[in-house]
Amino acid sequence: MANRSSQNEDQNFITREETKSKKAEIDAKIKENVVTSGTIFIIKFADILNANNSSPEVISHYMQRVLHSIFFIGYVSKPRVYPEEFIPEKILESFKEKFPGPFKDYLSHVPHQTPYSILLEFMSENKNCNEPKILMQELWEINKSLWKTDTNIGYQPVANDFTATVIAYSCYGDINGNNNVNSAYGSSISCKGRVPRRIMIHISVLQVWDLAISYAVCQEGDSPALVFPNQVCCKAYNFHCNSNCFLEVPPCAKCMKSFRGVKFNPPCENPDDDPTWPYGNCAENESLNKLLKGCQDLRSRILTEKNIQGKQMDIIEIETMFKKEKEEKLKKNLKNLLGSQNITLRKDNRKLQSFQPM
Ligand SMILES: [Zn+2]
């Protein structure tokens, strides 16, 4: 009996050790992917800024924001990645000298956007992007170079943690593309890992997005949803590594339920299928948020669906409802998420301090 029990203990010990070493192997792979993806992103983004003949001020502004966002996401990732690990050794000192802010503030300030969302903002502000197809072609070329691929397994990405695979384009006004059209691009939340992704969605909902979008995201498809005027259209594009372009993609059921009245093109294919990703993840949120923030006339026309008493809320009532019913719970969630990564951030006027490039 004694022998059998010690055999069992030995086996248990071996199994525990095997599990531990497997976990360490998986963790090392995850970390390697985050580091490789971050490094590729930083180098490519520096190339894009330089190739565009941007002024030193513009280069510094965008580079600081991208570095800070990558450093913050690296720190809240599991396993943790420190800023120095993202920058190749030979350029580390010059980066610290040129961009000291992100190295100093990545633990005390939150980023407002993922790195890819900042890249998209730069591209849409600095290129001729009235025609989505032209921008999508440029982004396709960029995405291709952001993905470390492995041709042995069918040209599959092995490190693409900071690349957005879906871009959405929204417009308000004349949908035939004539005068007076407001338009905006947005990307899906482009970071891997459950905790970093949830943290970025919470920051977006609490500190970045128009509160009408935050409200819609928090409703999680429940009534009453937002109702947009019918001059709002939205198109999304999905990046396929093997094809030669971004392909148009219909919205998911979550977006269709949350943003009523928007003309999605192509339309939602499976309105009853709830996708597995979290609310707030889709590119449509960021795109519609920017559209709303850039157009007061559109904001004033946003309503909710009628409730059972037949009443619709306007934008002021939606904001009040969000603050009253959703905000405190979300703040607590965010505090817990950050706490789980040992981060305690200072507040500034009841909000977490946001990173500002110097
Ligand atoms: Zn969606």
Side-chain angles (χ1 to χ4, degrees):
M1 275 308 277
N3 272 350
R4 194 174 292 168
S5 129
S6 78
Q7 260 180 11
N8 281 348
E9 273 173 24
D10 284 351
Q11 263 172 359
N12 283 344
F13 178 74
I14 291 167
T15 318
R16 272 202 309 275
E17 285 305 299
E18 268 180 11
T19 314
K20 247 197 226 168
S21 96
K22 249 191 205 135
K23 192 177 174 307
E25 214 177 285
I26 293 168
D27 279 354
K29 190 79 209 147
I30 293 173
K31 179 164 176 164
E32 189 193 320
N33 280 355
V34 177
V35 173
T36 308
S37 306
T39 307
I40 295 176
F41 197 103
I42 291 164
I43 305 238
K44 180 68 192 172
F45 192 58
D47 285 350
I48 295 168
L49 293 171
N50 287 321
N52 204 55
N53 291 329
S54 309
S55 68
E57 292 76 26
V58 169
I59 291 179
S60 174
H61 172 88
Y62 279 99
M63 202 64 206
Q64 286 185 63
R65 287 168 61 200
V66 158
L67 288 173
H68 177 270
S69 183
I70 289 178
F71 294 170
F72 177 85
I73 292 168
Y75 192 83
V76 297
S77 294
K78 234 177 182 170
R80 178 163 288 163
V81 181
Y82 290 92
E84 287 77 5
E85 297 178 80
F86 285 113
I87 315 287
E89 213 180 326
K90 59 181 183 199
I91 53 170
L92 178 60
E93 283 316 307
S94 82
F95 260 60
K96 280 185 171 175
E97 220 167 88
K98 274 195 224 162
F99 314 114
F103 288 89
K104 187 169 71 64
D105 289 346
Y106 74 98
L107 273 181
S108 54
H109 295 66
V110 290
H112 270 189
Q113 287 159 271
T114 57
Y116 199 93
S117 166
I118 300 167
L119 180 150
L120 179 63
E121 181 191 307
F122 173 79
M123 293 295 290
S124 53
E125 280 180 6
N126 290 279
K127 300 268 178 179
N128 179 11
C129 298
N130 294 334
E131 175 47 66
K133 274 189 182 154
I134 297 172
L135 181 68
M136 289 306 139
Q137 191 54 41
E138 292 216 27
L139 290 175
W140 187 80
E141 295 291 340
I142 291 172
N143 273 23
K144 233 175 34 165
S145 56
L146 289 177
W147 286 29
K148 184 181 172 199
T149 49
D150 184 347
T151 43
N152 291 330
I153 49 171
Y155 201 61
Q156 287 297 307
V158 290
N160 65 331
D161 290 18
F162 292 108
T163 316
T165 47
V166 181
I167 308 290
Y169 169 80
S170 305
C171 63
Y172 171 58
D174 185 343
I175 52 169
N176 296 317
N178 296 324
N179 296 331
N180 303 322
V181 176
N182 291 282
S183 61
Y185 291 88
S187 64
S188 48
I189 297 284
S190 50
C191 58
K192 292 259 168 80
R194 186 179 158 273
V195 172
R197 200 177 275 248
R198 287 194 71 208
I199 288 176
M200 289 311 292
I201 292 174
H202 274 77
I203 293 171
S204 301
V205 168
L206 284 166
Q207 304 204 179
V208 183
W209 290 338
D210 191 289
L211 291 189
I213 301 294
S214 302
Y215 166 84
V217 167
C218 292
Q219 281 298 94
E220 302 194 344
D222 288 344
S223 248
L226 287 190
V227 182
F228 282 72
N230 60 12
Q231 294 93 338
V232 174
C233 61
C234 185
K235 242 179 199 309
Y237 299 84
N238 196 2
F239 176 73
H240 287 262
C241 202
N242 288 324
S243 67
N244 196 22
C245 55
F246 271 90
L247 300 175
E248 288 180 7
V249 61
C252 69
K254 289 180 176 180
C255 287
M256 202 207 67
K257 282 184 204 161
S258 301
F259 307 120
R260 300 279 178 188
V262 174
K263 285 197 185 101
F264 289 107
N265 183 16
C268 181
E269 283 171 343
N270 302 305
D272 297 324
D273 279 1
D274 253 348
T276 50
W277 49 83
Y279 274 91
N281 191 66
C282 295
E284 284 84 349
N285 299 309
E286 188 177 67
S287 169
L288 289 168
N289 160 65
K290 285 188 186 163
L291 193 69
L292 273 189
K293 283 195 155 180
C295 186
Q296 201 47 45
D297 167 48
L298 175 59
R299 283 195 90 242
S300 66
R301 295 181 65 194
I302 295 287
L303 293 168
T304 57
E305 287 175 310
K306 287 181 185 163
N307 65 11
I308 33 175
Q309 287 88 30
K311 185 175 174 338
Q312 290 178 284
M313 289 190 283
D314 64 20
I315 192 87
I316 306 290
E317 290 166 315
I318 293 168
E319 287 181 0
T320 310
M321 179 69 87
F322 173 82
K323 285 183 180 161
K324 193 173 139 209
E325 291 192 355
K326 316 279 185 188
E327 202 174 38
E328 283 314 310
K329 188 171 167 244
L330 289 162
K331 280 183 176 172
K332 218 177 258 175
N333 287 351
L334 179 57
K335 195 176 162 200
N336 290 341
L337 283 165
L338 291 167
S340 74
Q341 309 306 99
N342 297 327
I343 292 191
T344 318
L345 291 165
R346 276 205 303 275
K347 287 189 180 161
D348 190 8
N349 205 11
R350 295 192 74 233
K351 289 195 168 182
L352 297 174
Q353 293 188 103
S354 306
F355 176 69
Q356 301 293 340
M358 286 192 239

